[in-house]
């Protein structure tokens, strides 16, 4: 990133901070702030131990410095601006979840597919938070991170003083770590499955299994659907269907299956139940980045700021809006006005529903695409057209 | 004159009710420390601590509620004057265990009041007991049985179902925290509390010394005397090498056994470049909360953690004995004890 590009980006970010509504987190006066400025990039220099006493003071900083990245602490401190962590005097911290493509075991390669996958993980997490943990929507801030995922900030006072180890128990819960009902192997003996009437993981697993079984409508689709389970191929699937599986899991029997009973279905092999439980665990669990939740002094990206590595806005969402949210359109804040950029090598991106290919040399692109690629370090600024 | 106290206050001297009652008695601290009227409270306070060192605090029903109640702050002052991390842990644990025994006999209503004392949001209904998950994990995360893990509980709408027995166990943890909290006390500087209690403190020191020679090693930690296996594990941790749990456990329990506190141990491990304080602290405190003895040489060998054994190692069967001998022999060809039995 050359100086011209840095100056251009700083000006664009400045415009953003002047024009867009900026939200400060609750009780921002008691949080530590940290910023990474364009000046030192690509070196990452975090200016931390900053604090603000008023909203105008914070806005003035953002507008005059136009930082590439803006963070505030998840923690509340008595003296947030103190130069050492010990002097700050920790008072509590929001409960934070970070869902990021980098931490998914099987993230797809393309950026749009990756974002879609992380979104579905986020939906699972939100289900745990609202249903099992009983957090109301007012106490949660859900945001697109501006990068490769989502953040959830739980600001419920009930969880503020939880320590790291206690927060890790919550991570273990949403990720299903240490779940005692997990079968040790496909061949494990099993006399019942988790019941629908028991709250928590049991209910979630039971509901997933029942939903799956109810989707096994006719023999043909059933043979295909069964192959979604690990270790079941066409032969095994056909054998299960021919062996009367569909009759076993008919509506007449679903009530007892909800109750965890499976012994009466002598024709269904044990291994299928074990496979279903394992699959249900995979489909229910939410993969969150554990160290983030456990870190009670972490700095986290400011909602409504811009992400200097993508130029995307850190967009606040709700349980209702996240479903329809498309980051590659809805988090784009810059214009379609054309600018010239130059690239050392070809690059590509998807933005606002279009695909853009950049050739080596000078290219004309919409400003939003140019800014995005400059932030990613793929192109340098030439001029406004 | 103060009203006759509820004898329960003496069983639960750490509660706000007990504290308020003691405050109402309005006994000046110099009186409590010096007047004959409180002789029995002082010696009972000492006994509490000595019983804790020896294993189990027994209630004294003979001396009456007021004196029994007053012996609790005295015991805390004695523990604070001795100022030993091991003693603090052991004393808090013994007090909490004694309380747990008493709680076993208490009706549910009383337990609920006690839960309130600790700010636990707990409700009782026909369905049983349910507690807010934040109050649950605060204490349950330390329990080793997987049945306590939140992921294995019936959690819905933010509350966890628990049994009465489990509730008592959570209360024990909360009580242990409260008793340990604030220790060592900030004693008033203008009044020499420790001088006034010196005879009692001496007896406690003796008991502690006897216990330590039995199980532990007194004095400041001396890294030069660490056995090679432990020195190696610590060096690896400081370099940020991801050590197997068995080696981390060995190093941590060893350091605890030679009298280091959790903070000191976390600091010792903090040289590591990817040092994660909260994670390290969690691991150290997990081990600190229990009375573990460091693994012996056989166990170290079994897990492949016996590294760099030297000639002294051949004569001991426990890393703690190595340390004990080395420390004693520092500066010369120290005498070699027989291997521990």
């Amino acid at each position: 990133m050359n100086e011209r590009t840095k100056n251009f980006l700083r000006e664009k970010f400045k415009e953003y901070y002047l024009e867009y509504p900026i939200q400060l987190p609750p009780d921002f006066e008691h949080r530590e702030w940290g910023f990474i400025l364009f000046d030192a990039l690509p070196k990452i220099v975090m200016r931390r131990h900053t604090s603000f006493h008023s909203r105008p003071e914070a806005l003035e900083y953002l507008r005059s410095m136009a930082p590439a990245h803006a963070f505030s602490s998840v923690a509340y401190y008595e003296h947030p601006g103190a130069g050492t962590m010990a002097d700050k005097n920790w008072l509590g911290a929001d409960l934070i979840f970070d869902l990021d493509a980098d931490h998914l075991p099987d993230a797809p390669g393309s950026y749009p597919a990756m974002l879609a996958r992380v979104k579905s993980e986020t939906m699972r997490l939100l289900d745990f938070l609202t249903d099992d943990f009983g957090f109301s929507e007012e106490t949660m801030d859900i945001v697109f991170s501006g990068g490769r995922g989502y953040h959830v900030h739980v600001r419920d006072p009930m969880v503020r003083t939880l320590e790291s180890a206690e927060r890790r128990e919550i991570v273990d819960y949403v990720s299903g770590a240490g779940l005692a009902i997990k079968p040790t192997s496909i061949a494990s003996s099993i006399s019942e499955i988790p019941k629908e009437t028991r709250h928590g993981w049991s209910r979630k697993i039971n509901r997933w299994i029942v939903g799956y079984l109810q989707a096994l409508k006719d023999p043909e689709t059933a043979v295909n659907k069964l192959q979604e389970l690990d270790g079941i191929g066409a032969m095994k699937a056909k054998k299960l269907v021919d062996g009367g599986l569909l009759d076993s899991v008919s509506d007449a029997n679903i009530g007892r299956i909800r109750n965890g009973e499976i012994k009466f279905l002598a024709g269904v092999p044990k291994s299928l139940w074990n496979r279903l439980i394992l699959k249900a665990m995979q489909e229910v669990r939410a993969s969150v980045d554990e160290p983030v939740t456990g870190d009670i002094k972490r700095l986290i990206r400011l909602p409504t700021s811009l992400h200097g590595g993508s130029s995307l806005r850190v967009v606040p969402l709700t349980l209702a809006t996240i479903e329809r949210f498309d980051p590659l359109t809805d988090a784009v804040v810059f214009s379609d006005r054309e600018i010239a950029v130059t690239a050392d090598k070809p690059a590509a991106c998807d933005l606002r529903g279009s695909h853009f290919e950049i050739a080596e040399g000078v290219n004309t692109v919409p400003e939003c695409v140019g800014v995005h690629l400059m932030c990613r370090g793929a192109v340098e600024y030439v001029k406004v057209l | 004159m103060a009203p006759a106290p509820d004898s329960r206050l003496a069983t639960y001297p750490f509660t706000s009710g007990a504290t308020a009652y003691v405050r109402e008695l309005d006994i000046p601290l110099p009186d409590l420390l010096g007047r004959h009227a409180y002789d029995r409270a002082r010696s009972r306070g000492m006994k509490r601590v000595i019983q804790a060192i020896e294993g189990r605090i027994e209630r004294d029903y003979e001396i009456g509620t007021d004196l029994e109640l007053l012996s609790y702050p005295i015991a805390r002052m004695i523990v604070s004057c001795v100022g030993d991390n091991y003693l603090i842990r052991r004393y808090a644990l013994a007090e909490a265990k004694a309380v747990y025994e008493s709680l076993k006999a208490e009706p549910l209503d009383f337990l609920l009041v006690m839960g309130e004392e600790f700010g636990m949001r707990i409700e009782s209904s026909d369905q049983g007991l349910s507690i807010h998950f934040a109050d649950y994990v605060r204490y349950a995360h330390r329990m080793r049985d997987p049945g306590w893990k939140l992921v294995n509980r019936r959690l819905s709408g933010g509350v966890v179902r628990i049994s009465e027995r489990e509730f008592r166990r959570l209360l024990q943890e909360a009580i242990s925290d409260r008793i340990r909290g604030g220790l060592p006390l900030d004693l008033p500087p203008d009044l020499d509390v420790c001088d006034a209690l010196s005879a009692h403190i001496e007896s406690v020191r003796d008991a502690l010394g006897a216990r330590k020679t039995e199980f532990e090693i007194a004095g400041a930690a001396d890294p030069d005397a660490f056995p090679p296996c432990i020195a190696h594990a610590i060096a690896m941790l400081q370099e940020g090498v991801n050590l197997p749990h068995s080696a981390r456990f060995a190093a941590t329990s060893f350091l605890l056994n030679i009298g280091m506190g959790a903070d000191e141990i976390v600091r010792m491990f903090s040289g590591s470049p990817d040092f994660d304080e909260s994670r390290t602290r969690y691991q150290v405190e997990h081990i600190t909360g229990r009375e573990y003895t460091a693994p012996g040489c056989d166990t170290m060998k079994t897990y492949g953690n016996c590294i760099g054994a030297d000639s002294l190692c051949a004569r001991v069967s426990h890393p703690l004995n190595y340390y004990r001998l080395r420390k004693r022999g520092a500066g010369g060809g120290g005498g070699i004890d027989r291997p521990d039995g």
Side-chain angles (χ1 to χ4, degrees):
Chain A
M1 192 180 285
N2 64 32
E3 286 307 311
R4 257 176 80 74
T5 302
K6 283 182 193 173
N7 285 335
F8 178 73
L9 288 177
R10 204 180 291 115
E11 286 311 309
K12 294 317 295 181
F13 274 45
K14 205 167 270 188
E15 277 173 30
Y16 168 82
Y17 284 113
L18 283 163
E19 286 167 22
Y20 275 77
I22 304 302
Q23 290 173 9
L24 301 183
D27 215 358
F28 67 88
E29 304 93 330
H30 287 109
R31 295 178 196 262
E32 177 197 357
W33 291 74
F35 302 94
I36 296 171
L37 304 183
F38 280 109
D39 310 39
L41 290 181
K43 244 177 81 188
I44 302 292
V45 180
M46 176 78 88
R47 300 181 167 214
R48 56 185 307 176
H49 307 307
T50 303
S51 65
F52 296 120
H53 301 97
S54 71
R55 181 175 164 81
E57 193 188 349
L59 292 186
E60 174 55 28
Y61 185 96
L62 291 168
R63 287 168 182 163
S64 60
M65 304 302 279
H69 304 272
F71 307 90
S72 69
S73 62
V74 301
Y76 305 85
Y77 299 104
E78 190 182 1
H79 308 294
T84 68
M85 298 314 280
D87 289 340
K88 290 183 196 297
N89 191 20
W90 187 88
L91 301 172
D94 297 331
L95 175 65
I96 299 288
F97 297 94
D98 177 20
L99 299 102
D100 194 288
D102 294 344
H103 295 97
L104 290 185
D106 48 352
S110 90
Y111 190 49
M114 198 187 291
L115 285 174
R117 177 62 215 288
V118 184
K119 187 156 111 180
S120 84
E121 292 289 325
T122 309
M123 303 303 288
R124 293 182 196 177
L125 172 68
L126 291 171
D127 186 53
F128 279 116
L129 295 183
T130 52
D131 185 16
D132 300 41
F133 288 93
F135 294 123
S136 68
E137 195 174 353
E138 302 85 76
T139 64
M140 290 193 291
D141 282 338
I142 307 158
V143 289
F144 169 59
S145 73
R148 295 142 68 88
Y150 294 83
H151 296 161
V152 178
H153 307 234
V154 180
R155 315 211 193 260
D156 190 326
M158 299 279 236
V159 297
R160 270 197 194 177
T161 54
L162 290 180
E163 307 268 355
S164 294
E166 297 147 38
R167 290 169 195 244
R168 279 195 282 271
E169 274 291 291
I170 298 174
V171 172
D172 284 351
Y173 189 93
V174 301
S175 56
L179 203 52
I181 47 184
K182 181 181 180 178
T184 46
S185 86
I186 300 301
S188 299
S189 77
I190 179 168
S191 56
E192 56 172 20
I193 62 168
K195 293 178 176 55
E196 210 250 348
T197 46
R198 286 187 74 96
H199 289 295
W201 266 89
S202 287
R203 167 179 291 190
K204 283 192 156 54
I205 288 177
N206 185 284
R207 285 186 175 167
W208 188 90
I209 291 175
V210 165
Y212 181 90
L213 296 175
Q214 285 177 323
L216 299 175
K217 294 228 179 314
D218 57 80
E220 202 177 315
T221 55
V223 169
N224 286 329
K225 196 161 172 60
L226 284 166
Q227 293 178 55
E228 293 169 5
L229 300 179
D230 285 342
I232 295 198
M235 295 278 281
K236 270 190 192 152
K238 192 159 187 312
K239 204 174 147 206
L240 283 167
V241 173
D242 291 346
L245 177 65
L246 298 197
D247 286 343
S248 298
V249 301
S250 65
D251 289 350
N253 290 338
I254 281 291
R256 294 180 71 178
I257 296 174
R258 280 191 211 279
N259 199 29
E261 297 172 54
I262 53 167
K263 262 185 165 157
F264 73 105
L265 300 170
V268 182
K270 277 180 190 144
S271 61
L272 180 66
W273 295 113
N274 285 326
R275 284 185 215 279
L276 284 168
I277 293 174
L278 289 168
K279 182 75 173 169
M281 283 179 58
Q282 274 176 30
E283 297 291 320
V284 170
R285 71 188 296 261
S287 300
V288 304
D289 188 5
E290 189 210 301
V292 173
T293 304
D295 185 348
I296 53 176
K297 294 174 182 168
R298 201 178 189 85
L299 294 175
I300 191 160
R301 204 171 280 284
L302 173 67
T304 68
S305 68
L306 291 182
H307 188 306
S310 69
S311 79
L312 296 176
R313 181 172 195 248
V314 183
V315 182
L317 300 164
T318 65
L319 290 174
T321 58
I322 185 171
E323 231 158 326
R324 285 175 289 109
F325 176 74
D326 172 9
L328 295 177
T329 298
D330 302 328
V332 179
V333 296
F334 294 109
S335 76
D336 287 327
R337 177 172 72 127
E338 294 201 319
I339 64 168
V341 297
T342 178
D344 280 349
K345 52 182 190 229
C349 71
D350 295 274
L351 229 51
R352 288 208 173 123
S354 302
H355 181 72
F356 297 90
E357 295 275 353
I358 304 293
E360 200 180 311
V362 175
N363 295 254
T364 299
V365 291
E367 180 187 70
C368 59
V369 173
V371 172
H372 175 65
L373 291 172
M374 280 178 230
C375 283
R376 280 171 46 181
V379 303
E380 298 285 359
Y381 174 65
V382 178
K383 63 177 176 184
V384 173
L385 295 174
Chain B
M1 212 184 104
D6 181 345
S7 70
R8 266 176 176 167
L9 290 182
T11 313
Y12 306 104
F14 49 84
T15 55
S16 45
T19 313
Y21 177 78
V22 169
R23 199 173 304 125
E24 257 173 59
L25 290 178
D26 201 21
I27 303 164
L29 187 52
D31 289 3
L32 184 61
L33 293 175
R35 285 188 53 185
H36 279 311
Y38 304 112
D39 275 352
R40 294 179 77 188
R42 289 192 295 273
S43 61
R44 167 66 187 146
M46 171 192 72
K47 242 183 228 146
R48 281 183 106 104
V49 184
I50 290 175
Q51 286 177 347
I53 293 168
E54 287 166 354
R56 189 188 165 102
I57 298 176
E58 306 282 356
R59 173 81 190 266
D60 185 340
Y61 292 96
E62 304 291 305
I63 69 170
T65 302
D66 279 6
L67 292 178
E68 172 76 352
L69 194 46
L70 288 168
S71 74
Y72 175 72
I74 299 263
R76 289 172 71 81
M77 287 182 240
I78 292 173
V79 168
S80 302
C81 289
V82 176
D84 180 284
N85 282 323
Y86 170 79
L87 177 63
I88 291 175
R89 287 202 309 277
R90 189 156 181 91
Y91 167 72
L93 192 70
E95 286 277 7
K97 276 191 179 157
V99 174
Y100 181 70
E101 290 305 311
S102 307
L103 284 179
K104 279 186 184 167
E106 300 288 2
L108 180 59
D109 283 351
F110 182 83
L111 299 181
L112 292 171
V113 173
M114 190 65 87
E116 237 168 73
E117 166 84 25
F118 292 101
M120 292 182 182
R121 286 141 295 194
I122 182 144
E123 268 175 38
S124 167
S125 73
D126 310 344
Q127 320 264 309
L129 291 169
S130 47
I131 183 167
H132 191 277
F133 81 88
D135 297 327
Y136 177 83
V137 291
R138 215 180 286 282
Y139 305 110
H141 79 88
R142 310 166 185 170
M143 323 276 195
R144 267 157 113 205
D145 188 308
W148 283 100
K149 268 193 88 61
L150 188 61
V151 72
N152 292 319
R153 307 301 304 205
R154 298 163 72 172
L155 172 65
S156 174
V159 299
V160 182
R161 300 275 191 79
I162 54 171
S163 69
E164 213 174 294
R165 193 185 57 77
E166 288 169 333
F167 183 31
R168 287 192 170 89
R169 188 68 186 76
L170 294 174
L171 282 172
Q172 184 194 336
E173 288 297 314
I175 290 165
S176 169
D177 278 8
R178 163 107 30 120
I179 292 170
R180 195 192 294 198
L183 287 178
L185 301 168
D186 284 328
L187 296 169
D190 52 321
L191 199 78
D192 212 335
V193 174
C194 301
D195 257 7
L197 293 170
S198 60
H200 297 313
I201 290 166
E202 220 32 62
S203 306
V204 165
R205 283 225 167 95
D206 287 348
L208 183 63
R211 166 86 193 173
K212 279 199 172 183
T213 42
E214 204 177 331
F215 291 101
E216 306 213 0
I217 295 146
D222 177 6
D224 291 338
F226 288 173
C229 53
I230 301 296
H232 178 264
I234 293 168
M236 292 295 104
L237 280 166
Q238 288 175 338
E239 282 166 30
V241 174
N242 197 10
L243 273 194
H245 175 74
S246 58
R248 258 194 330 254
F249 173 80
T252 309
S253 53
F254 176 90
L255 295 174
L256 284 168
N257 289 164
I258 66 167
M260 279 174 74
D263 287 339
E264 256 178 297
I265 296 173
V266 170
R267 230 176 294 130
M268 175 164 260
F269 291 167
S270 70
S272 139
D274 65 344
F275 173 67
D276 175 344
E277 161 146 9
S278 60
R279 174 165 288 234
T280 307
R281 180 167 294 281
Y282 168 65
Q283 287 166 346
V284 170
E285 282 175 358
H286 186 80
I287 297 171
T288 323
R290 304 179 170 76
E291 303 283 314
Y292 291 124
T293 303
C297 295
D298 283 350
T299 312
M300 295 296 280
K301 283 178 194 147
T302 305
Y303 288 99
N305 293 326
C306 172
I307 290 162
D310 59 20
S311 58
L312 184 51
C313 288
R315 308 192 205 177
V316 298
S317 60
H318 201 291
L320 285 169
N321 269 0
Y322 182 106
Y323 178 73
R324 199 175 278 142
L325 293 175
R326 246 303 172 61
K327 221 184 158 199
R328 196 177 304 161
I336 303 297
D337 266 7
R338 281 182 303 132
D340 59 342

